[in-house]
Amino acid sequence: MYAYEILFNGNKLKLSGVERKWQILSVTGLNPTLSTLNEAAIVGQPGVKFVGSKINKRAITLTIRVNHPCEDNRAELLRFLASNNEITLHITTDRKDLYIDGKVEMNDYNIYTQSQTMMVSIICPYPYFRNTEERITDSVVSTGGFTFPFSVNVDDTIRFDDLSILDKLIVYNYGQVETGLKIQLQFFETVIDPVVYNVDNEDEYIGFKGEYRLGDVIEINTNINVKERAVLIRNGQRTKILNKLMSGITWLKIKNILVLKLSTSGYMTIYNHDELAGI
């Protein structure tokens, strides 16, 4: 069973489960999108060779039957699905909870028919569906230090757990496509030139020049179409630090498993979403 919901300007509109107002007749564009293959001829040989490829944008079309009173229900739909609205389409199934961002390209209907049908075209520049659940992987591990039964003097302290820092952080991707990450670094002391690198390929790394203090936080985002790639948070102030990036860096991605290590003292927290090419 599929359920659809539209998010626009902080508000939600249910498209499923409100049959007295409208019903979704069909949804197209949920399968993997087409790719563009760039080819080149091979001199003196049959066939061609591939020299590049890219995944295209996604086009989703909703076909909705609008029930009586048509004018009122149509107006409610148009508050969310008017042309040029930037929306989020939330899709839930028995096994998945996904969303995708897009812009309404067209909303077409005929008000002079007894049974009104609305066709809504949504263009999604980033073609993959993202899992709503964000996976958080932290290099700080808590080990329980408190057990029952226990005995303690009134003036003694009780240790509830012990904290340790993992030397390496293993991040998993259970989706269908390679995705970016949000990496957060926090420091216990003053460090110089911190670097996060891929343990399996140390040529892949992200590093920052300069000195960073106790309490500083660096946020790195390797996802596509983000406003802030690298930010330093110091005393509550956010400062972009792209100019501090070392030369030769790689915007780290994860396909299946990624093992990361921090070159200095401190700890890492990794945030990532699974993404699907189609539903």
Side-chain angles (χ1 to χ4, degrees):
M1 178 180 177
Y2 286 69
Y4 301 90
E5 187 177 57
I6 300 295
L7 284 71
F8 174 64
N9 281 350
N11 298 307
K12 296 181 181 180
L13 177 72
K14 287 186 176 183
L15 296 180
S16 304
V18 283
E19 282 73 15
R20 61 185 178 82
K21 291 183 175 182
W22 48 71
Q23 293 100 30
I24 292 184
L25 301 180
S26 68
V27 180
T28 62
L30 303 182
N31 51 305
T33 59
L34 292 175
S35 63
T36 299
L37 305 179
N38 300 318
E39 305 167 349
I42 306 173
V43 178
Q45 297 184 28
V48 298
K49 63 179 180 180
F50 294 119
V51 295
S53 63
K54 70 180 292 293
I55 299 295
N56 295 312
K57 64 187 179 183
R58 179 178 297 277
I60 297 175
T61 301
L62 308 176
T63 304
I64 305 170
R65 181 169 62 200
V66 184
N67 295 329
H68 184 78
C70 294
E71 187 172 357
D72 293 341
N73 292 332
R74 186 175 67 243
E76 185 175 354
L77 286 168
L78 285 174
R79 280 197 290 272
F80 288 79
L81 294 172
S83 297
N84 208 45
N85 280 4
E86 292 186 1
I87 65 167
T88 297
L89 176 62
H90 179 205
I91 305 172
T92 56
T93 73
D94 292 336
R95 296 180 178 271
K96 300 181 182 71
D97 192 347
L98 309 168
Y99 72 92
I100 190 167
D101 296 322
K103 180 173 281 195
V104 178
E105 177 189 36
M106 177 197 71
N107 189 321
D108 188 44
Y109 50 86
N110 185 352
I111 63 174
Y112 295 108
T113 57
Q114 187 172 3
S115 178
Q116 290 190 15
T117 302
M118 177 181 288
M119 294 190 64
V120 183
S121 172
I122 303 169
I123 302 299
C124 306
Y126 186 68
Y128 299 131
F129 297 98
R130 180 168 288 179
N131 197 318
T132 57
E133 182 180 352
E134 184 175 54
R135 183 175 297 107
I136 302 174
T137 310
D138 202 319
S139 61
V140 177
V141 177
S142 174
T143 304
F146 183 78
T147 59
F148 288 96
F150 71 97
S151 176
V152 62
N153 294 324
V154 174
D155 296 328
D156 291 344
T157 58
I158 302 175
R159 188 180 75 253
F160 284 93
D161 55 21
D162 295 309
L163 297 179
S164 58
I165 307 297
L166 296 175
D167 181 52
K168 301 172 184 176
L169 198 57
I170 303 175
V171 187
Y172 295 93
N173 176 13
Y174 298 109
Q176 299 167 349
V177 297
E178 183 180 68
T179 67
L181 308 160
K182 188 169 75 172
I183 305 171
Q184 188 178 80
L185 310 178
Q186 298 190 53
F187 305 108
F188 302 130
E189 59 186 7
T190 297
V191 300
I192 306 293
D193 299 343
V195 178
V196 178
Y197 60 89
N198 180 354
V199 171
D200 297 322
N201 182 1
E202 294 187 8
D203 291 333
E204 296 182 356
Y205 64 88
I206 299 177
F208 296 88
K209 298 173 288 187
E211 179 180 290
Y212 301 90
R213 311 170 192 164
L214 169 67
D216 282 353
V217 177
I218 293 177
E219 287 185 355
I220 308 157
N221 198 327
T222 70
N223 289 291
I224 295 174
N225 298 329
V226 295
K227 294 180 179 179
E228 295 181 327
R229 282 286 188 186
V231 176
L232 170 66
I233 304 173
R234 176 177 289 170
N235 299 325
Q237 299 295 317
R238 299 177 67 89
T239 305
K240 294 181 180 181
I241 53 172
L242 285 174
N243 60 326
K244 298 291 186 179
L245 283 168
M246 296 178 178
S247 60
I249 65 106
T250 300
W251 295 110
L252 298 167
K253 305 284 186 179
I254 177 171
K255 190 168 187 179
N256 297 301
I257 300 175
L258 182 64
V259 184
L260 299 176
K261 186 178 177 68
L262 178 61
S263 65
T264 64
S265 65
Y267 67 92
M268 295 184 289
T269 306
I270 310 297
Y271 306 84
N272 66 301
H273 292 264
D274 296 337
E275 295 182 2
L276 304 183
I279 301 177

